[in-house]
Amino acid sequence: MRKGTNQKRIAIFLFFLCFTAVMAAQERISLLQVVQNLEQKHNIRFSYVEEEIAGFQLEAPNEALDLSQSIDYLNNNSPFQFSKINDRYYSISRKETSSNFYCGTLIDSSTGLPLEEASVVLGSGLYATVSNKDGVFYLPRNLPSEGVTISYLGFETMTLNTSELNTNCTELFLFPSISRLNEVLISNVLVKGINRNVNGSTSINTQNFGLLPGQTENDVLQMVQALPGIESANETISTINIRGGANDENLILWEGIHMFQTGHFFGLISAFNPNLTQNVSIYKNGTPSQFGENVSGVIEMASSDAIARKFKGGLGSNLINANAFVEMPLSDKLGIQLSGRSSINTFVETPAYTSFSDKVFQETKITNFGNPNPVSNVITNQEFYFYDYGGKILWDASAQDKFRVNFLAMENHFDLTQRLFSVEETSTLKQKSEAAGASWQRTWNEDFETSLSGSASHYLLDASNEDILTNQTLLQESEVLELTAKLDTRYKISATIQLQSGYHFSEIGIANTQDVNVPRFRNYKKNVLRSQILYSDILYTSPNKGTKINVGARGNYFEKFSTFLIEPRVHLYQELVDGLALELAGEMKSQTTTQTIDLQSDFLGVEKRRWVLANDSTIPIKKSKQASLGILYSKKDWFINLEGFYKLVEGVTSKSQGFQNQYQFVTETGNYTVKGLEVIVNKKLGDFSGWISYSYTLNEYDFENFTPSVFPNNVDITHIATLAGSYRFKNLKFALGLNWRTGKPYTLPLEDPLFLQNSIVTIPYDTPNAERLPDYVRLDFSAEYLWEISKKAELQFNLSLLNVTNADNILNRRFTLEDETSISSKINQIEELSLGFTPNFSVQFLF
């Protein structure tokens, strides 16, 4: 008995001895440690960048190997080249083409940041490694083709086959344990940083972004216009049209806060600082039910949600504005982000500023007073500036709790001073916004997560229009204040089903004032609307990831009208064969805020639109229905997307459409329908990416009380096409793009005599929107160079050339009278032109 026991003990001891020996033989250590050991053992020295090799791990070379054999082993089992300089010195460099290795880049899907030290295991432990600081891992190609398992604490495990990897280090996105609804489906569409998501949206990550034609900085609201179906009919950020919808029908969110101002320089550049905005999601249809208060598209923007690992920042300037930003980790659990911009025209007026000014102020009071013919003795002086600043406080109180505080402020300020002999008057236009929000996100367990948040958004348009010739003063003010509280929950029911639900409360107040001294007139209106919303989405993903279904509904209760509206949403993705999939989407949505235009000459002729609330009578709640069907193909560096859609929007007021014909002062309610087709073809060849996009739309109004009742929409642009390409060579990027579209519609006056009504002469117009402007053509170019000064500092240079050929594109054509009191008055044709040739250059110092 004792002998048997001793034999068992010996057997167990030998087993553990063998196991320990095997484990020791397979021990993985960092390449840096291997190099240091070889230096001590053989009295040699290696030249290398420590940060590069420290993140790579491998099995330690056998101690019995001599120096030459050890060098050969490292060359064959690492992505680095070990080269002999002389008997004592060797150099270590990354292989230009790691043909002996598969590689991948692991990215956090929620922040866009690389994941360091993620575990990568081949087969059942045949080979294992970890990702480096850039999220990159390497697997030798000479090993058997088996499944690869990638795991990282707090993220869902990813499994794939080595056949899905290549030598270009394809980006692989890992998702939190409770996977978000914006999982990446296809990465790097068009250029690096643009991704197509599982739920049909398109996301843009501005960190290490590629290059689009005409871009000097990563202006997100310019970048979204690279996608088919998104266009600005008059080249401004503030009037983006998504699938034929009006700009006020888009929901613009910054950190989940509804924004009512989107542009600087009267809409020519985005009001959202590129240094503060890292992630953007765009929805054209099939919107998740958590989004509401819009009948067209959704553009959701957010800054980085990760605490910086080290202090970093930047400062720089282009020919329009100067900027600065910092990201500071105050501790492992607390960080802060700050960013700001300001126009530079108060110091120097650049060619880019002059081109922008000519575009914005053409055919307004500002330029008319500069014309010496009508008023030769009036001297004018302009002063304009804009700025924005914002920040974010990040506190990861625990592994389960995250607290965030955001704030943003922006302003456009314009003064026009007129002097006539000894009399001086100053007209002022001020447009500003402030937004703030706070949130608490808690992960209760691997299956359940909640987020509680509150926000405030304030917008003010304040104008004083002084007429030095008539002594008339027109004061106008438009103010919006929205307060919200939200509770969002995410629950992982099973490995294939997730539930996202929530409750939102919103209170919005809008006040508009108009005050005229001669003749005396004052009008003040204020409306408040409270909304309570419940929503829920169910997301199903099949085990093979070939089927993805998102079905949900949003219930809106508007207290003031005692009205309850239900908005169903659906999105279906079905893979047909490898690389080919079918996509179906549909939605119903509603909107209670809209913009109105009372007079085309409001606010000095520059900013004419004012926000108003639905009143359930003259301004109804807008409602929309949309359906789309598309085909996606993604394989062998090809991406093709063909999608057809139909959209109906009801409750459209004529005062919000900006008519410049016989309906300019008419108040009616109608609908519009859009039928369209969008196509995009993208091909990548190494560091080159080229694409062609095309969209066709038929966009028509239907106003029952107009004659005719059906006619083209003011933003009906039938054909839009883009041919573009982007190329990267080491630290240099180029992009060139040609944009073409048919002209938008306009209305011609009749040749009959003028009408005289109530002592006011009016222009008789022909059939509304029966004519078309000439085609629009614009060629844009951009270039970027990154100079790595040191390990911690870089200089980035950007050059953009808008409208390289200086084409005279007509954006609008309207008609006015020389004298509204004379029946013999002449009709003047006024044409508003696009930006001419506009060069811009920026320098950014990054540290």
Side-chain angles (χ1 to χ4, degrees), residues 625-639:
K625 301 173 184 177
Q626 185 177 181
S628 61
L629 178 65
I631 295 176
L632 292 136
Y633 175 79
S634 179
K635 198 171 184 181
K636 296 181 180 180
D637 292 326
W638 281 95
F639 172 72

Side-chain angles (χ1 to χ4, degrees), residues 477-775:
E477 185 177 285
S478 182
E479 186 173 17
V480 182
L481 177 61
E482 183 178 42
L483 304 174
T484 64
K486 304 177 183 179
L487 173 62
D488 299 315
T489 66
R490 293 181 178 88
Y491 178 56
K492 188 174 181 180
I493 299 174
S494 67
T496 59
I497 300 176
Q498 295 180 40
L499 175 67
Q500 180 174 357
S501 303
Y503 166 78
H504 295 185
F505 171 79
S506 170
E507 178 181 278
I508 182 170
I510 298 180
N512 286 292
T513 304
Q514 184 166 312
D515 194 319
V516 183
N517 65 336
V518 180
R520 185 60 185 155
F521 172 79
R522 178 178 171 81
N523 183 33
Y524 173 78
K525 292 181 180 179
K526 182 178 180 179
N527 291 297
V528 177
L529 181 64
R530 296 184 182 90
S531 306
Q532 301 196 52
I533 301 106
L534 290 172
Y535 77 88
S536 187
D537 282 299
I538 294 179
L539 175 65
Y540 168 77
T541 303
S542 63
N544 66 354
K545 309 292 184 181
T547 302
K548 299 178 176 68
I549 304 173
N550 183 22
V551 179
R554 181 181 179 91
N556 305 275
Y557 178 70
F558 306 108
E559 293 183 6
K560 189 173 184 178
F561 311 133
S562 299
T563 300
F564 184 73
L565 298 178
I566 297 180
E567 304 171 0
R569 316 282 176 88
V570 62
H571 180 269
L572 166 67
Y573 170 87
Q574 178 61 57
E575 187 175 285
L576 304 177
V577 295
D578 183 28
L580 183 65
L582 186 72
E583 193 172 41
L584 173 68
E587 65 183 18
M588 294 176 64
K589 295 196 287 189
S590 63
Q591 180 176 336
T592 59
T593 57
T594 190
Q595 289 181 331
T596 185
I597 304 173
D598 289 331
L599 295 171
Q600 290 296 329
S601 59
D602 280 1
F603 303 147
L604 309 176
V606 177
E607 186 59 55
K608 311 173 183 67
R609 298 177 178 271
R610 293 182 292 172
W611 287 98
V612 293
L613 266 174
N615 56 22
D616 211 25
S617 57
T618 57
I619 307 175
I621 299 174
K622 283 186 182 180
K623 300 174 185 176
S624 71
K625 301 173 184 177
Q626 185 177 181
S628 61
L629 178 65
I631 295 176
L632 292 136
Y633 175 79
S634 179
K635 198 171 184 181
K636 296 181 180 180
D637 292 326
W638 281 95
F639 172 72
I640 302 174
N641 186 200
L642 172 65
E643 190 168 2
F645 66 91
Y646 172 83
K647 181 164 70 173
L648 168 65
V649 178
E650 302 172 302
V652 176
T653 61
S654 58
K655 300 288 285 185
S656 68
Q657 299 304 297
F659 285 113
Q660 296 177 336
N661 51 24
Q662 57 265 52
Y663 303 133
Q664 180 173 344
F665 302 108
V666 178
T667 303
E668 289 291 343
T669 302
N671 312 321
Y672 72 82
T673 57
V674 188
K675 304 170 186 177
L677 179 70
E678 299 169 358
V679 183
I680 186 166
V681 179
N682 178 209
K683 172 63 177 176
K684 294 182 176 64
L685 291 171
D687 292 319
F688 172 79
S689 177
W691 64 93
I692 300 174
S693 67
Y694 168 76
S695 65
Y696 166 82
T697 57
L698 179 63
N699 191 349
E700 293 182 319
Y701 288 122
D702 185 355
F703 284 88
E704 183 179 355
N705 295 326
F706 288 172
T707 303
S709 59
V710 178
F711 56 94
N713 195 300
N714 291 338
V715 293
D716 176 37
I717 302 177
T718 310
H719 303 281
I720 303 175
T722 299
L723 173 63
S726 178
Y727 177 70
R728 178 171 184 169
F729 177 72
K730 296 184 179 180
N731 289 349
L732 189 62
K733 302 176 186 175
F734 300 98
L736 184 68
L738 179 65
N739 300 285
W740 168 83
R741 67 176 188 236
T742 52
K744 73 174 188 177
Y746 72 98
T747 308
L748 273 176
L750 291 170
E751 296 181 357
D752 296 339
L754 302 178
F755 292 153
L756 183 63
Q757 296 178 343
N758 300 323
S759 299
I760 299 295
V761 179
T762 61
I763 301 174
Y765 284 96
D766 203 343
T767 305
N769 289 348
E771 302 296 323
R772 292 276 173 173
L773 295 174
D775 289 357

Side-chain angles (χ1 to χ4, degrees), residues 21-245:
V22 171
M23 293 302 295
Q26 295 182 346
E27 179 186 3
R28 305 187 60 78
I29 63 175
S30 74
L31 180 58
L32 176 62
Q33 183 63 51
V34 173
V35 167
Q36 291 173 345
N37 291 343
L38 289 176
E39 286 181 327
Q40 293 179 0
K41 181 178 179 181
H42 299 285
N43 191 27
I44 59 174
R45 291 292 179 266
F46 290 96
S47 173
Y48 55 88
V49 178
E50 182 175 327
E51 289 80 1
E52 283 192 357
I53 69 172
F56 183 79
Q57 292 187 345
L58 77 169
E59 294 179 16
N62 193 308
E63 289 291 331
L65 297 178
D66 60 23
L67 176 59
S68 177
Q69 292 171 327
S70 297
I71 295 296
D72 289 340
Y73 174 84
L74 294 175
N75 278 327
N76 293 329
N77 291 276
S78 79
F80 299 93
Q81 181 65 45
F82 289 73
S83 303
K84 183 177 180 179
I85 300 174
N86 53 43
D87 290 339
R88 180 172 170 77
Y89 290 96
Y90 290 77
S91 67
I92 305 175
S93 61
R94 187 175 292 277
K95 297 173 183 176
E96 290 295 329
T97 56
S98 301
S99 57
N100 295 328
F101 290 85
Y102 294 116
C103 63
T105 304
L106 301 180
I107 304 294
D108 182 341
S109 65
S110 60
T111 66
L113 297 175
L115 291 174
E116 184 179 4
E117 296 187 359
S119 173
V120 181
V121 179
L122 181 65
S124 57
L126 176 66
Y127 186 88
T129 186
V130 295
S131 57
N132 62 21
K133 67 181 182 65
D134 297 317
V136 178
F137 67 88
Y138 296 88
L139 296 174
R141 298 184 66 177
N142 58 3
L143 294 177
S145 178
E146 293 193 30
V148 179
T149 302
I150 303 172
S151 57
Y152 193 84
L153 183 63
F155 288 75
E156 291 190 344
T157 299
M158 172 184 286
T159 57
L160 67 160
N161 197 280
T162 51
S163 60
E164 299 178 57
L165 300 174
N166 53 41
T167 59
N168 295 324
C169 300
T170 301
E171 288 187 346
L172 304 172
F173 292 84
L174 295 188
F175 300 93
S177 297
I178 301 179
S179 184
R180 308 287 186 178
L181 295 181
N182 60 345
E183 290 186 37
V184 173
L185 179 67
I186 302 166
S187 62
N188 298 335
V189 177
L190 306 187
V191 296
K192 185 175 182 179
I194 301 180
N195 305 311
R196 185 66 185 268
N197 300 321
V198 165
N199 61 356
S201 68
T202 301
S203 62
I204 298 175
N205 187 292
T206 61
Q207 276 205 339
N208 197 21
F209 187 76
L211 191 63
L212 292 172
Q215 290 294 294
T216 308
E217 56 185 10
N218 291 332
D219 189 323
V220 294
L221 294 186
Q222 290 284 5
M223 291 158 64
V224 300
Q225 296 181 55
L227 305 175
I230 303 179
E231 182 70 23
S232 174
N234 63 357
E235 293 187 331
T236 64
I237 290 295
S238 54
T239 56
I240 288 178
N241 311 112
I242 299 181
R243 286 187 169 173

Side-chain angles (χ1 to χ4, degrees), residues 342-591:
S342 178
S343 55
I344 63 172
N345 58 284
T346 53
F347 303 101
V348 58
E349 292 191 3
T350 65
Y353 174 82
T354 301
S355 181
F356 277 27
S357 296
D358 292 343
K359 162 71 171 64
V360 170
F361 298 130
Q362 60 183 311
E363 297 302 334
T364 66
K365 175 180 176 178
I366 293 95
T367 53
N368 291 342
F369 269 111
N371 186 342
N373 294 324
V375 186
S376 59
N377 294 316
V378 174
I379 301 173
T380 63
N381 181 54
Q382 303 174 27
E383 182 180 346
F384 170 74
Y385 63 85
F386 68 81
Y387 66 83
D388 61 66
Y389 60 88
K392 187 172 185 177
I393 301 173
L394 308 94
W395 179 34
D396 292 347
S398 68
Q400 292 78 35
D401 299 281
K402 293 183 178 181
F403 294 88
R404 302 291 185 263
V405 176
N406 309 282
F407 62 92
L408 179 67
M410 60 183 74
E411 181 174 337
N412 290 321
H413 191 103
F414 178 74
D415 288 337
L416 174 66
T417 301
Q418 309 159 37
R419 176 182 289 274
L420 180 60
F421 304 115
S422 61
V423 180
E424 184 176 286
E425 298 286 356
T426 299
S427 298
T428 301
L429 173 59
K430 181 166 61 175
Q431 189 180 21
K432 65 177 184 177
S433 294
E434 299 94 13
S439 66
W440 168 38
Q441 178 183 314
R442 178 169 177 81
T443 302
W444 298 88
N445 52 50
E446 292 186 355
D447 298 327
F448 185 57
E449 178 183 286
T450 61
S451 178
L452 181 65
S453 63
S455 67
S457 181
H458 177 252
Y459 168 74
L460 176 65
L461 182 60
D462 188 6
S464 171
N465 194 341
E466 306 283 351
D467 193 325
I468 197 169
L469 301 178
T470 65
N471 293 322
Q472 185 186 68
T473 300
L474 170 62
L475 303 177
Q476 298 196 61
E477 185 177 285
S478 182
E479 186 173 17
V480 182
L481 177 61
E482 183 178 42
L483 304 174
T484 64
K486 304 177 183 179
L487 173 62
D488 299 315
T489 66
R490 293 181 178 88
Y491 178 56
K492 188 174 181 180
I493 299 174
S494 67
T496 59
I497 300 176
Q498 295 180 40
L499 175 67
Q500 180 174 357
S501 303
Y503 166 78
H504 295 185
F505 171 79
S506 170
E507 178 181 278
I508 182 170
I510 298 180
N512 286 292
T513 304
Q514 184 166 312
D515 194 319
V516 183
N517 65 336
V518 180
R520 185 60 185 155
F521 172 79
R522 178 178 171 81
N523 183 33
Y524 173 78
K525 292 181 180 179
K526 182 178 180 179
N527 291 297
V528 177
L529 181 64
R530 296 184 182 90
S531 306
Q532 301 196 52
I533 301 106
L534 290 172
Y535 77 88
S536 187
D537 282 299
I538 294 179
L539 175 65
Y540 168 77
T541 303
S542 63
N544 66 354
K545 309 292 184 181
T547 302
K548 299 178 176 68
I549 304 173
N550 183 22
V551 179
R554 181 181 179 91
N556 305 275
Y557 178 70
F558 306 108
E559 293 183 6
K560 189 173 184 178
F561 311 133
S562 299
T563 300
F564 184 73
L565 298 178
I566 297 180
E567 304 171 0
R569 316 282 176 88
V570 62
H571 180 269
L572 166 67
Y573 170 87
Q574 178 61 57
E575 187 175 285
L576 304 177
V577 295
D578 183 28
L580 183 65
L582 186 72
E583 193 172 41
L584 173 68
E587 65 183 18
M588 294 176 64
K589 295 196 287 189
S590 63
Q591 180 176 336

